[in-house]
């Protein structure tokens, strides 16, 4: 157990505790919701100041001042060393490190398996047959869903373009977003790369979608579009537009710790499914892209340190789409 003599410096926002020249990584804490009870207001202010910390002895004295015994105070502070009450910075950094490990820059280069491995099927009993008894608007859209990778260079209406973006992240008549978000965080940003002569009334360029106003803001000129993707078998140049989805880890990981990264991925899945279903309904082809060149796009639009590229989607006119 730590003691007054250790004089541990607790660095906040929450990433590390220095103890005997060792750095201990902090994680979740059962005391997270009790910080306003544990410490005095002036101590909380000091804890939250960027690049500053509070000595163990000061925290111990403050806890005792707030009515905790020496034994209780030491126990609380030892828990904070092990679990931390303030992991805003460390949580999003750990999530970002994991994200980078799965990016194309860090994946091993080599030959990928060309076919799935055969799996031995275990004997099973006959299950219960299910029947789709009802036909709804949504089930009709699901029956039409398909991925399209080749496109005709035909200009589309601004209304169709707007409807697809709204279906991804817009606001409905009840003033709710069209997709759910963990803790109402809505930490996703949607960027749109529009090709030349692709959408009526909108010039070529990279835009950011504003879901509150249902509008787009010009960000950057669009150069060679293929360089932004590792997936090369898609006809980006003849598509009408390509979507890049990014997520900001800072708020959601401050609230849910490393698990916030999962919630961003879930939210992205909801967004992409909506967009593909509506695109098919508008007789436009689309396919979802996992192979976005994250580094190139990040530098192009100058994403902040806590923002990551998650996925993409390409949309375009296609004569072979089912009517």
């Amino acid at each position: 157990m730590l003691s007054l003599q250790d004089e541990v410096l607790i660095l906040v926002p929450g990433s590390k505790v220095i103890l005997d020249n060792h750095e201990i990584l902090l994680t979740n804490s059962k005391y997270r919701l009790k910080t306003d009870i544990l410490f005095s207001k002036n101590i909380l202010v000091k804890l939250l100041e960027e690049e500053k910390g509070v000595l163990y002895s000061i925290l111990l004295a403050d806890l005792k001042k707030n009515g905790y015994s020496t034994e209780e105070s030491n126990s609380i502070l030892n828990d904070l060393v092990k679990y931390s009450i303030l992991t805003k910075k460390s949580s999003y950094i750990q999530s970002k490190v994991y994200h980078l490990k799965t990016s194309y820059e860090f994946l091993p280069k080599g030959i990928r398996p060309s076919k799935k491995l055969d799996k031995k099927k275990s004997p099973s009993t006959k299950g219960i047959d299910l029947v789709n008894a009802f036909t709804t608007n949504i089930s009709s859209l699901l029956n039409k869903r398909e991925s399209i990778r080749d496109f005709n260079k035909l200009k589309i209406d601004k209304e169709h373009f707007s409807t697809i973006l709204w279906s991804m992240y817009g606001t409905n008549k009840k003033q709710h977003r069209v997709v759910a978000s963990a803790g109402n965080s809505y930490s996703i940003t949607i960027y749109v790369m529009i090709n030349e002569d692709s959408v009526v009334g909108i010039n070529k360029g990279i835009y950011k979608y504003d879901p509150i106003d249902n509008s787009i803001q010009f960000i950057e000129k669009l150069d060679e579009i293929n360089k932004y993707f590792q997936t090369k078998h898609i006809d980006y140049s003849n598509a009408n537009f390509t979507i890049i989805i990014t997520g900001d880890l800072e708020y959601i990981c401050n609230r849910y710790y490393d698990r916030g990264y999962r919630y961003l991925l879930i939210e992205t899945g909801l967004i992409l499914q909506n967009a593909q279903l509506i695109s098919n309904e508008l007789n436009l082809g689309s396919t979802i892209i996992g192979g976005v060149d994250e580094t190139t796009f990040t530098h192009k639009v100058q994403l902040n340190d806590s923002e990551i590229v998650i996925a993409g989607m390409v949309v375009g006119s296609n004569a072979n789409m089912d009517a």
Side-chain angles (χ1 to χ4, degrees):
M1 180 173 284
L2 301 176
S3 67
L4 180 65
Q5 287 74 29
D6 286 313
E7 288 295 302
V8 178
L9 179 64
I10 297 184
L11 299 178
V12 178
S15 40
K16 294 169 185 173
V17 168
I18 308 302
L19 175 61
D20 296 333
N21 297 320
H22 295 290
E23 294 184 348
I24 303 173
L25 196 62
L26 303 180
T27 52
N28 203 346
S29 172
K30 62 185 178 183
Y31 296 111
R32 177 170 171 250
L33 299 178
K34 297 182 180 178
T35 51
D36 57 335
I37 300 172
L38 288 174
F39 299 114
S40 303
K41 186 175 181 180
N42 64 320
I43 295 295
L44 286 173
V45 170
K46 288 181 180 180
L47 283 171
L48 291 167
E49 287 178 349
E50 189 75 26
E51 303 300 333
K52 293 186 179 181
V54 181
L55 290 177
Y56 181 87
S57 57
I58 295 176
L59 295 176
L60 182 64
D62 189 63
L63 286 170
K64 293 171 70 176
K65 178 182 174 182
N66 290 337
Y68 295 96
S69 68
T70 300
E71 184 178 356
E72 289 172 332
S73 299
N74 271 303
S75 177
I76 289 169
L77 290 176
N78 273 274
D79 278 345
L80 299 186
V81 171
K82 287 192 296 183
Y83 303 112
S84 176
I85 57 168
L86 298 161
T87 57
K88 175 172 63 176
K89 200 166 189 177
S90 68
S91 287
Y92 99 68
I93 288 176
Q94 289 179 76
S95 295
K96 187 171 182 180
V97 167
Y98 175 78
H99 180 76
L100 289 173
K101 285 181 179 178
T102 61
S103 72
Y104 276 90
E105 289 184 33
F106 293 89
L107 288 178
K109 304 295 188 293
I111 299 173
R112 300 177 184 176
S114 58
K115 60 181 181 179
K116 294 181 180 179
L117 298 175
D118 292 331
K119 294 183 178 180
K120 293 182 179 179
K121 293 184 177 180
S122 57
S124 60
T125 58
K126 173 66 175 174
I128 301 172
D129 291 330
L130 301 178
V131 179
N132 294 334
F134 299 98
T135 300
T136 66
N137 290 335
I138 293 295
S139 61
S140 297
L141 290 178
L142 291 170
N143 276 315
K144 293 172 63 177
R145 196 218 69 79
E146 62 177 317
S147 293
I148 301 293
R149 297 173 178 84
D150 297 307
F151 306 98
N152 299 325
K153 195 62 180 289
L154 297 175
K155 190 177 290 190
I156 64 171
D157 294 335
K158 185 178 178 181
E159 289 76 14
H160 285 180
F161 170 76
S162 303
T163 299
I164 293 170
L165 288 182
W166 173 83
S167 75
M168 299 178 81
Y169 221 45
T171 303
N172 62 26
K173 291 181 179 180
K174 292 185 177 181
Q175 298 307 305
H176 297 303
R177 295 290 185 89
V178 294
V179 294
S181 180
N184 204 38
S185 58
Y186 293 103
S187 298
I188 294 291
T189 300
I190 295 173
Y191 293 88
V192 192
M193 308 167 82
I194 302 177
N195 284 329
E196 190 78 47
D197 296 324
S198 292
V199 181
V200 175
I202 304 178
N203 295 327
K204 178 180 180 180
I206 301 176
Y207 297 81
K208 181 189 288 189
Y209 177 59
D210 184 335
I212 305 302
D213 295 334
N214 194 36
S215 63
I216 56 172
Q217 290 84 38
F218 178 82
I219 301 296
E220 282 284 347
K221 292 182 179 179
L222 177 60
D223 44 1
E224 174 53 48
I225 192 169
N226 287 280
K227 75 178 186 179
Y228 295 101
F229 304 98
Q230 294 281 346
T231 306
K232 300 300 184 184
H233 59 282
I234 296 173
D235 188 12
Y236 302 103
S237 58
N238 283 320
N240 294 94
F241 59 94
T242 304
I243 291 159
I244 304 292
I245 295 178
T246 69
D248 197 322
L249 293 163
E250 186 166 19
Y251 172 80
I252 201 163
C253 287
N254 182 38
R255 181 164 186 170
Y256 296 109
Y257 299 94
D258 296 4
R259 196 172 182 84
Y261 180 64
R262 292 191 189 187
Y263 297 154
L264 281 182
L265 301 185
I266 293 170
E267 192 171 329
T268 299
L270 298 174
I271 290 168
L272 290 172
Q273 176 77 337
N274 277 9
Q276 189 161 58
L277 292 179
I278 294 299
S279 295
N280 282 13
E281 176 70 1
L282 297 174
N283 209 34
L284 293 171
S286 65
T287 193
I288 294 168
I289 310 162
V292 181
D293 193 311
E294 299 163 20
T295 300
T296 302
F297 187 78
T298 296
H299 291 161
K300 179 66 174 179
V301 300
Q302 298 181 339
L303 299 181
N304 63 46
D305 182 60
S306 60
E307 196 170 5
I308 58 170
V309 176
I310 301 176
M313 179 176 176
V314 61
V315 180
S317 55
N318 186 288
N320 296 322
M321 285 289 295
D322 293 335

